[in-house]
Amino acid sequence: MFIENMLTAAQQVAILAILVVAGLLCDKAGIYTEKASRLTNNLLFYIVTPAVIVESFLRVEMTPDSLNGLLMSALCGVIIHVAAIVLTLPLFRRGDRDENCVFKYASIYGNTGYMALPLASAVLGEEGVFYCSAGIVVFNVFCFTHGVWLMRKEGDAFRFKKLLVNPGTISLLIGLPLFLANVSLPQVLAEPVGLLADLNTPLAMILFGTYLAHTRFRTLFSRPRAYAVAFFKLIVLPLLMIGCFYLMGLQGTLMTACVITAAVPSANNTIMFAAKYDKDTGLASQTVSLVSILSIVTMPVMIALAGAI
């Protein structure tokens, strides 16, 4: 099982890497450059990501068991993010503020959409995907509130209105009632939502590649603070969450799905938010790349520990 999990994680990373290389080559060939991708970034931010959230609620039928599992997995998602936010408070406080914002964001927010869902599908099946979908909703609510606050420009006031009016919370307000009411959208509406959501992974990876095209690969493995991000995101946080979930009485598929959510590498949103708020996209790309590469080894270990419990 350990070897199978490692191969599954490695395969998923390889698939994403191919898409990243496609974006890198497009930038080098002048077909789709970083300048164009910065404009496309808003499409991801305001349209595609909300479609992913809404679609996650449309995938499953509301039953007492599914509702209980959804609530528990959502609670675990909240615990993961709150713990990460609190534990990173003393980290990355010295040096350049903009760099610190990128490192903190990469330490807190995981690749739930691009990595957790495919990995849960391969290891756990549809039930695991459903539980991880709740984690995606929680992730988006946090990243469009705390994440926006964290990455905002220095001196910019954070308005409480942004806690309520942002793509993450608006999508939640649309999707959650549909799930609770067991409403199925007509095909003429459901299919466009699904098609937009399908853009999420390939478009984000191609954007990632265009930013990576302008970074120095020689420095990819030479940033000590990026290794600190990897250590926290891939080892400290997952181990802490395994202990927490065990004390909560989680087991089986729910336990493993929640651990997968906690163990995934840094979110590609790190790059998207860096572009949106004028941070160093090269630094963000390098950090996400390093943590993703190292996660090939760490994720199977965490999944195996969750399965053993």
Side-chain angles (χ1 to χ4, degrees), residues 65-195:
D65 288 341
S66 66
L67 180 59
N68 288 336
L70 181 73
L71 292 175
M72 183 56 70
S73 55
L75 173 61
C76 291
V78 172
I79 292 172
I80 292 169
H81 287 89
V82 170
I85 290 169
V86 172
L87 291 173
T88 55
L89 286 176
L91 302 179
F92 310 116
R93 302 183 66 176
R94 297 182 179 180
D96 184 79
R97 179 188 179 277
D98 285 351
E99 287 190 2
N100 291 338
C101 291
V102 171
F103 287 130
K104 280 202 172 192
Y105 193 99
S107 299
I108 295 168
Y109 295 102
N111 207 345
T112 54
Y114 314 133
M115 185 69 75
L117 282 186
L119 189 58
S121 178
V123 176
L124 302 171
E126 285 299 320
E127 186 179 4
V129 171
F130 173 60
Y131 292 142
C132 282
S133 294
I136 291 178
V137 174
V138 174
F139 163 85
N140 280 285
V141 170
F142 270 89
C143 82
F144 278 106
T145 51
H146 170 266
V148 170
W149 175 85
L150 180 65
M151 296 288 272
R152 75 195 190 284
K153 295 179 182 179
E154 188 173 8
D156 284 359
F158 182 76
R159 300 176 181 177
F160 181 76
K161 178 182 178 181
K162 291 185 177 181
L163 290 173
L164 302 176
V165 183
N166 64 74
T169 52
I170 291 174
S171 304
L172 178 63
L173 293 175
I174 295 172
L176 184 59
L178 295 175
F179 170 75
L180 294 176
N182 249 339
V183 173
S184 296
L185 291 180
Q187 186 177 2
V188 69
L189 294 178
E191 189 163 341
V193 171
L195 290 172

Side-chain angles (χ1 to χ4, degrees), residues 8-74:
T8 300
Q11 182 181 32
Q12 190 57 42
V13 172
I15 292 170
L16 298 180
I18 291 172
L19 294 173
V20 171
V21 171
L24 188 150
L25 294 176
C26 284
D27 183 272
K28 294 296 185 182
I31 297 172
Y32 182 71
T33 63
E34 182 186 14
K35 183 178 180 180
S37 69
R38 286 180 180 274
L39 298 176
T40 311
N41 187 71
N42 283 334
L43 177 66
L44 263 177
F45 199 83
Y46 293 111
I47 303 297
V48 176
T49 298
V52 173
I53 301 173
V54 173
E55 190 191 36
S56 69
F57 282 108
L58 299 175
R59 284 182 175 180
V60 294
E61 180 182 358
M62 204 286 284
T63 65
D65 288 341
S66 66
L67 180 59
N68 288 336
L70 181 73
L71 292 175
M72 183 56 70
S73 55

Side-chain angles (χ1 to χ4, degrees), residues 3 14 30 79 121 128 147 149 159 167 188 197 211 242 244-245 260 264-265 280-282 286-287 303:
I3 298 299
I79 292 172
S121 178
W149 175 85
R159 300 176 181 177
V188 69
Y211 298 137
I242 288 174
C244 179
F245 298 156
I260 288 175
V264 290
D280 188 341
T281 56
Q286 289 180 324
T287 303
I303 294 171

